Coordinates of all heavy atoms in Angstrom, one line a residue:
D28 N 0.7 7.6 12.1 CA 1.3 6.4 12.7 C 0.5 5.2 12.3 O -0.6 5.1 12.6 CB 1.5 6.6 14.2 CG 2.3 5.6 14.8 OD1 3.2 5.0 14.2 OD2 2.0 5.3 16.0
M29 N 1.2 4.2 11.8 CA 0.5 2.9 11.5 C 1.4 1.8 12.0 O 2.2 1.1 11.3 CB 0.4 2.8 10.0 CG -0.6 3.8 9.4 SD -0.8 3.4 7.6 CE -0.9 5.0 7.0
P30 N 1.2 1.5 13.3 CA 2.0 0.4 13.9 C 1.8 -1.0 13.3 O 2.7 -1.8 13.5 CB 1.6 0.5 15.4 CG 0.2 1.1 15.4 CD 0.2 2.0 14.2
E31 N 0.7 -1.2 12.7 CA 0.5 -2.5 12.1 C 1.3 -2.8 10.8 O 1.4 -3.9 10.4 CB -1.0 -2.8 11.9 CG -1.7 -1.9 10.9 CD -2.3 -0.6 11.6 OE1 -2.8 -0.7 12.7 OE2 -2.1 0.5 11.1
I32 N 1.9 -1.8 10.3 CA 2.8 -2.0 9.1 C 4.1 -2.5 9.6 O 4.8 -1.8 10.3 CB 3.0 -0.7 8.3 CG1 1.6 -0.4 7.6 CG2 4.1 -0.9 7.2 CD1 1.7 0.9 6.7
Q33 N 4.5 -3.7 9.2 CA 5.7 -4.3 9.7 C 6.8 -4.2 8.6 O 8.0 -4.1 9.0 CB 5.5 -5.8 10.0 CG 4.6 -6.0 11.1 CD 5.1 -5.4 12.4 OE1 6.2 -5.6 12.8 NE2 4.2 -4.6 13.0
D34 N 6.4 -4.1 7.3 CA 7.4 -4.1 6.3 C 6.7 -3.5 5.0 O 5.5 -3.7 4.8 CB 8.0 -5.5 6.0 CG 9.1 -5.5 5.0 OD1 10.0 -4.6 5.0 OD2 9.1 -6.4 4.1
S35 N 7.5 -2.8 4.2 CA 7.0 -2.4 2.9 C 8.2 -2.4 1.9 O 9.3 -2.0 2.4 CB 6.3 -1.1 2.9 OG 7.2 -0.1 3.3
R36 N 7.9 -2.8 0.7 CA 9.0 -2.8 -0.3 C 8.5 -2.7 -1.7 O 7.4 -3.4 -1.9 CB 10.0 -4.0 -0.1 CG 9.3 -5.3 -0.4 CD 10.3 -6.4 -0.2 NE 10.4 -6.5 1.2 CZ 11.0 -7.5 1.9 NH1 11.5 -8.5 1.2 NH2 11.1 -7.5 3.2
P37 N 9.1 -2.0 -2.6 CA 8.7 -2.0 -4.0 C 9.1 -3.4 -4.6 O 10.1 -3.9 -4.3 CB 9.5 -0.9 -4.6 CG 10.7 -0.7 -3.7 CD 10.2 -1.1 -2.3
V38 N 8.2 -3.9 -5.4 CA 8.4 -5.2 -5.9 C 8.6 -5.2 -7.5 O 9.5 -5.8 -8.0 CB 7.2 -6.2 -5.6 CG1 7.4 -7.5 -6.3 CG2 7.1 -6.3 -4.1
E39 N 7.8 -4.3 -8.1 CA 7.9 -4.2 -9.6 C 7.6 -2.8 -10.0 O 6.6 -2.2 -9.5 CB 6.9 -5.2 -10.2 CG 7.0 -5.3 -11.7 CD 6.0 -6.3 -12.2 OE1 5.8 -7.4 -11.6 OE2 5.4 -6.0 -13.3
L40 N 8.3 -2.3 -11.0 CA 8.1 -1.0 -11.6 C 7.8 -1.2 -13.1 O 8.5 -2.0 -13.7 CB 9.3 -0.1 -11.5 CG 9.3 1.3 -12.1 CD1 8.4 2.2 -11.2 CD2 10.7 1.8 -12.2
F41 N 6.7 -0.6 -13.6 CA 6.3 -0.8 -14.9 C 6.0 0.5 -15.6 O 5.4 1.3 -15.0 CB 5.1 -1.7 -15.0 CG 4.6 -2.0 -16.4 CD1 5.2 -2.9 -17.2 CD2 3.5 -1.3 -16.9 CE1 4.8 -3.1 -18.5 CE2 3.0 -1.5 -18.2 CZ 3.7 -2.4 -19.0
R42 N 6.6 0.7 -16.8 CA 6.3 1.8 -17.6 C 5.8 1.4 -19.0 O 6.2 0.3 -19.5 CB 7.5 2.7 -17.8 CG 7.9 3.4 -16.5 CD 9.1 4.4 -16.8 NE 9.2 5.2 -15.7 CZ 10.3 5.3 -14.9 NH1 11.4 4.5 -15.2 NH2 10.4 6.1 -13.9
G43 N 5.0 2.2 -19.7 CA 4.6 1.8 -21.0 C 3.2 1.1 -21.0 O 2.6 1.1 -20.0
G44 N 2.9 0.6 -22.1 CA 1.6 -0.1 -22.2 C 0.5 0.8 -21.9 O 0.3 1.9 -22.5
A45 N -0.4 0.4 -21.0 CA -1.6 1.2 -20.6 C -1.2 2.3 -19.6 O -2.1 3.1 -19.3 CB -2.6 0.3 -20.0
V46 N 0.0 2.4 -19.2 CA 0.4 3.4 -18.2 C 0.8 4.7 -19.0 O 1.6 4.6 -19.9 CB 1.6 3.0 -17.4 CG1 2.1 4.1 -16.5 CG2 1.3 1.7 -16.6
P47 N 0.1 5.8 -18.7 CA 0.4 7.1 -19.5 C 1.8 7.5 -19.5 O 2.5 7.2 -18.5 CB -0.5 8.1 -18.8 CG -1.6 7.3 -18.1 CD -0.9 6.0 -17.7
A48 N 2.3 8.1 -20.5 CA 3.7 8.6 -20.6 C 3.9 9.6 -19.4 O 3.1 10.3 -19.0 CB 3.8 9.4 -21.9
G49 N 5.1 9.5 -18.9 CA 5.5 10.3 -17.7 C 5.0 9.7 -16.4 O 5.3 10.3 -15.4
Q50 N 4.3 8.6 -16.4 CA 3.9 8.0 -15.2 C 4.4 6.5 -15.2 O 4.9 6.0 -16.2 CB 2.4 7.9 -15.1 CG 1.8 9.3 -15.0 CD 0.3 9.3 -14.8 OE1 -0.3 8.2 -14.7 NE2 -0.4 10.4 -14.9
Y51 N 4.3 5.9 -14.0 CA 4.7 4.5 -13.9 C 3.8 3.8 -12.9 O 3.1 4.4 -12.1 CB 6.2 4.3 -13.5 CG 6.5 5.0 -12.2 CD1 6.4 4.3 -11.0 CD2 7.0 6.3 -12.2 CE1 6.8 4.9 -9.8 CE2 7.4 6.9 -11.0 CZ 7.3 6.2 -9.8 OH 7.6 6.8 -8.6
S52 N 3.8 2.5 -13.0 CA 3.0 1.7 -12.1 C 4.0 1.0 -11.2 O 5.0 0.4 -11.6 CB 2.2 0.6 -12.9 OG 1.5 -0.2 -12.0
L53 N 3.7 1.0 -9.9 CA 4.6 0.4 -8.9 C 3.8 -0.6 -8.1 O 2.8 -0.2 -7.5 CB 5.2 1.5 -8.0 CG 6.1 1.0 -6.8 CD1 7.4 0.4 -7.4 CD2 6.4 2.2 -5.9
L54 N 4.3 -1.8 -8.0 CA 3.7 -2.8 -7.2 C 4.5 -2.7 -5.8 O 5.7 -2.9 -5.8 CB 3.9 -4.2 -7.7 CG 3.5 -5.4 -6.9 CD1 2.0 -5.3 -6.5 CD2 3.7 -6.7 -7.5
L55 N 3.7 -2.4 -4.8 CA 4.3 -2.2 -3.5 C 3.8 -3.3 -2.6 O 2.5 -3.5 -2.4 CB 3.9 -0.8 -2.9 CG 4.4 -0.5 -1.5 CD1 5.9 -0.4 -1.5 CD2 3.8 0.9 -1.1
R56 N 4.6 -4.1 -2.0 CA 4.2 -5.1 -1.1 C 4.3 -4.6 0.4 O 5.4 -4.2 0.8 CB 5.1 -6.4 -1.2 CG 4.7 -7.5 -0.3 CD 5.3 -8.8 -0.7 NE 4.7 -9.2 -1.9 CZ 5.4 -9.9 -2.9 NH1 6.7 -10.1 -2.8 NH2 4.8 -10.2 -4.0
V57 N 3.2 -4.7 1.1 CA 3.1 -4.2 2.5 C 2.7 -5.3 3.4 O 1.8 -6.0 3.1 CB 2.1 -3.0 2.6 CG1 2.1 -2.5 4.0 CG2 2.5 -1.9 1.6
T58 N 3.4 -5.5 4.5 CA 3.1 -6.5 5.4 C 2.5 -5.9 6.7 O 3.1 -5.0 7.3 CB 4.4 -7.3 5.9 OG1 5.0 -7.9 4.7 CG2 4.0 -8.4 6.9
F59 N 1.2 -6.2 6.9 CA 0.5 -5.7 8.1 C 0.5 -6.9 9.1 O 0.2 -8.0 8.8 CB -1.0 -5.4 7.7 CG -1.1 -4.3 6.8 CD1 -1.2 -4.5 5.4 CD2 -1.2 -3.0 7.2 CE1 -1.4 -3.5 4.5 CE2 -1.3 -1.9 6.3 CZ -1.4 -2.2 4.9
Q60 N 0.8 -6.5 10.4 CA 0.8 -7.5 11.4 C 0.7 -6.9 12.8 O 1.4 -5.8 13.1 CB 2.1 -8.3 11.3 CG 2.2 -9.5 12.3 CD 3.5 -10.3 12.1 OE1 4.4 -9.9 11.4 NE2 3.5 -11.5 12.6
S61 N 0.0 -7.5 13.7 CA -0.1 -7.0 15.1 C 0.8 -7.9 15.9 O 0.9 -9.1 15.6 CB -1.6 -7.2 15.6 OG -1.6 -6.9 17.0
A62 N 1.4 -7.3 16.9 CA 2.3 -8.1 17.8 C 1.5 -9.0 18.7 O 2.1 -10.0 19.2 CB 3.2 -7.1 18.6
D63 N 0.2 -8.7 18.9 CA -0.5 -9.5 20.0 C -1.8 -10.2 19.5 O -2.4 -10.9 20.3 CB -0.8 -8.6 21.2 CG -1.6 -7.4 20.8 OD1 -1.8 -7.1 19.6 OD2 -2.1 -6.7 21.7
R64 N -2.2 -10.0 18.2 CA -3.4 -10.7 17.8 C -3.5 -10.7 16.3 O -2.7 -10.1 15.6 CB -4.6 -9.9 18.4 CG -4.7 -8.5 17.9 CD -5.8 -7.8 18.6 NE -5.8 -6.4 18.2 CZ -6.3 -6.0 17.0 NH1 -6.9 -6.8 16.2 NH2 -6.3 -4.7 16.7
T65 N -4.5 -11.4 15.8 CA -4.7 -11.5 14.4 C -5.6 -10.3 14.0 O -6.6 -10.0 14.6 CB -5.5 -12.8 14.0 OG1 -4.7 -13.9 14.4 CG2 -5.8 -12.9 12.6
L66 N -5.1 -9.6 13.0 CA -5.9 -8.4 12.5 C -7.1 -8.9 11.7 O -7.1 -9.9 11.0 CB -5.1 -7.6 11.6 CG -3.8 -6.9 12.2 CD1 -2.9 -6.3 11.2 CD2 -4.3 -5.9 13.3
T67 N -8.2 -8.2 11.8 CA -9.5 -8.6 11.1 C -9.4 -8.0 9.7 O -8.6 -7.1 9.4 CB -10.7 -8.0 11.8 OG1 -10.7 -6.6 11.8 CG2 -10.8 -8.5 13.3
S68 N -10.3 -8.5 8.8 CA -10.3 -8.0 7.5 C -10.7 -6.5 7.5 O -10.1 -5.7 6.7 CB -11.4 -8.8 6.7 OG -11.0 -10.1 6.5
E69 N -11.6 -6.1 8.4 CA -12.0 -4.7 8.5 C -10.7 -3.9 8.9 O -10.5 -2.8 8.3 CB -13.1 -4.5 9.5 CG -13.4 -3.1 9.8 CD -14.8 -2.7 9.7 OE1 -15.6 -3.5 9.1 OE2 -15.1 -1.7 10.3
E70 N -10.0 -4.3 9.8 CA -8.8 -3.6 10.3 C -7.8 -3.5 9.1 O -7.1 -2.4 8.9 CB -8.1 -4.3 11.5 CG -8.9 -4.1 12.7 CD -8.4 -5.0 13.9 OE1 -8.0 -6.1 13.6 OE2 -8.3 -4.4 15.0
L71 N -7.6 -4.5 8.4 CA -6.7 -4.5 7.2 C -7.2 -3.6 6.2 O -6.4 -2.8 5.6 CB -6.5 -5.9 6.7 CG -5.7 -6.9 7.6 CD1 -5.8 -8.3 7.0 CD2 -4.3 -6.4 7.7
N72 N -8.5 -3.6 5.9 CA -9.0 -2.7 4.9 C -8.8 -1.2 5.3 O -8.4 -0.4 4.5 CB -10.5 -2.9 4.6 CG -10.7 -4.2 3.9 OD1 -9.8 -4.7 3.2 ND2 -11.9 -4.8 4.1
E73 N -9.1 -0.9 6.6 CA -8.9 0.4 7.1 C -7.4 0.8 7.1 O -7.1 2.0 6.7 CB -9.4 0.5 8.6 CG -9.3 1.9 9.2 CD -9.9 3.0 8.5 OE1 -10.9 2.8 7.7 OE2 -9.4 4.1 8.6
A74 N -6.5 -0.1 7.4 CA -5.1 0.2 7.3 C -4.7 0.5 5.9 O -3.9 1.5 5.7 CB -4.3 -0.9 7.9
G75 N -5.2 -0.2 5.0 CA -4.9 0.1 3.5 C -5.5 1.4 3.1 O -4.8 2.2 2.4
R76 N -6.7 1.8 3.5 CA -7.2 3.1 3.2 C -6.4 4.2 3.8 O -6.1 5.2 3.2 CB -8.7 3.2 3.7 CG -9.7 2.5 2.9 CD -11.1 2.8 3.3 NE -11.5 2.2 4.6 CZ -12.0 1.0 4.8 NH1 -12.1 0.2 3.7 NH2 -12.3 0.6 5.9
R77 N -5.9 4.0 5.1 CA -5.1 5.0 5.7 C -3.7 5.2 5.0 O -3.2 6.3 4.8 CB -4.9 4.7 7.2 CG -6.1 4.9 8.0 CD -5.9 4.9 9.5 NE -4.7 4.2 10.0 CZ -4.7 3.0 10.6 NH1 -5.8 2.3 10.8 NH2 -3.6 2.5 11.0
L78 N -3.2 4.1 4.5 CA -1.9 4.1 3.8 C -2.1 4.8 2.5 O -1.3 5.7 2.2 CB -1.4 2.7 3.6 CG -0.1 2.5 2.8 CD1 1.0 3.2 3.4 CD2 0.2 1.1 2.5
L79 N -3.1 4.5 1.8 CA -3.4 5.3 0.5 C -3.6 6.8 0.7 O -3.1 7.6 0.0 CB -4.6 4.7 -0.2 CG -4.3 3.4 -0.9 CD1 -5.6 2.8 -1.5 CD2 -3.3 3.5 -2.1
A80 N -4.3 7.1 1.8 CA -4.6 8.5 2.1 C -3.2 9.2 2.5 O -3.0 10.4 2.1 CB -5.6 8.6 3.3
A81 N -2.4 8.5 3.2 CA -1.1 9.1 3.5 C -0.2 9.3 2.3 O 0.6 10.2 2.3 CB -0.3 8.2 4.5
L82 N -0.3 8.5 1.3 CA 0.5 8.6 0.1 C -0.1 9.5 -1.0 O 0.6 9.9 -1.9 CB 0.7 7.2 -0.6 CG 1.5 6.2 0.3 CD1 1.5 4.8 -0.3 CD2 2.9 6.7 0.4
E83 N -1.4 9.8 -0.8 CA -2.1 10.7 -1.8 C -1.4 12.0 -2.1 O -1.3 12.4 -3.2 CB -3.5 10.9 -1.4 CG -4.4 11.5 -2.5 CD -5.8 11.5 -2.1 OE1 -6.3 10.7 -1.3 OE2 -6.5 12.4 -2.5
P84 N -0.9 12.7 -1.1 CA -0.2 14.0 -1.3 C 1.0 13.8 -2.2 O 1.5 14.8 -2.8 CB 0.2 14.5 0.1 CG -0.8 13.8 1.0 CD -1.0 12.5 0.4
L85 N 1.5 12.6 -2.4 CA 2.7 12.4 -3.2 C 2.3 12.1 -4.7 O 3.1 11.8 -5.5 CB 3.5 11.2 -2.7 CG 4.1 11.4 -1.3 CD1 4.8 10.1 -0.8 CD2 5.1 12.6 -1.3
G86 N 0.9 12.1 -4.9 CA 0.4 11.8 -6.2 C 0.2 10.3 -6.5 O -0.1 9.9 -7.6
V87 N 0.2 9.5 -5.4 CA 0.0 8.1 -5.5 C -1.5 7.8 -5.5 O -2.3 8.4 -4.8 CB 0.6 7.3 -4.3 CG1 0.3 5.9 -4.3 CG2 2.1 7.5 -4.3
R88 N -1.9 6.9 -6.4 CA -3.3 6.5 -6.5 C -3.3 5.0 -7.0 O -2.4 4.6 -7.6 CB -4.1 7.4 -7.4 CG -3.6 7.4 -8.8 CD -4.4 8.4 -9.6 NE -3.8 8.6 -10.9 CZ -4.0 7.8 -12.0 NH1 -4.7 6.8 -11.9 NH2 -3.4 8.1 -13.1
L89 N -4.4 4.4 -6.7 CA -4.6 3.0 -7.2 C -4.9 3.1 -8.7 O -5.6 4.0 -9.2 CB -5.8 2.3 -6.5 CG -5.6 1.9 -5.1 CD1 -6.8 1.2 -4.5 CD2 -4.4 0.9 -5.0
R90 N -4.3 2.1 -9.4 CA -4.6 2.1 -10.8 C -6.0 1.5 -11.0 O -6.4 0.6 -10.3 CB -3.5 1.1 -11.4 CG -3.2 1.4 -12.8 CD -2.0 0.6 -13.2 NE -2.3 -0.8 -13.3 CZ -1.6 -1.8 -13.7 NH1 -0.4 -1.5 -14.2 NH2 -1.9 -3.0 -13.7
S91 N -6.7 2.1 -12.0 CA -8.0 1.7 -12.2 C -8.2 0.9 -13.5 O -7.3 0.9 -14.3 CB -9.0 2.8 -12.2 OG -8.6 3.8 -13.1

């Protein structure tokens, strides 16, 4: 459960170039927001790590 995620949406899908055949690069825009306070950088970083960990079983990883 990640209550600080308010919205997420795919923004851009890219295939080819440096992206290996059979894979694609997806730019995902995620809005993090607390209803009662400003989130700290540390909280945002941790929320991002948790989001990536939750998506990892689907084969999602950050592009390097």
Side-chain angles (χ1 to χ4, degrees):
D28 184 30
M29 292 187 219
E31 58 273 317
I32 292 180
Q33 297 300 308
D34 186 41
S35 66
R36 67 182 69 170
V38 176
E39 183 179 323
L40 178 75
F41 178 78
R42 290 188 168 116
V46 178
Q50 296 183 5
Y51 59 89
S52 176
L53 176 67
L54 173 60
L55 181 64
R56 180 166 291 142
V57 180
T58 303
F59 295 94
Q60 186 175 15
S61 171
D63 58 347
R64 62 188 178 77
T65 300
L66 298 171
T67 65
S68 294
E69 172 132 338
E70 289 171 317
L71 290 170
N72 289 336
E73 178 59 26
R76 283 190 289 273
R77 288 193 339 256
L78 177 59
L79 284 172
L82 294 173
E83 192 174 331
L85 300 174
V87 173
R88 62 183 169 81
L89 284 179
R90 211 169 64 172
S91 55

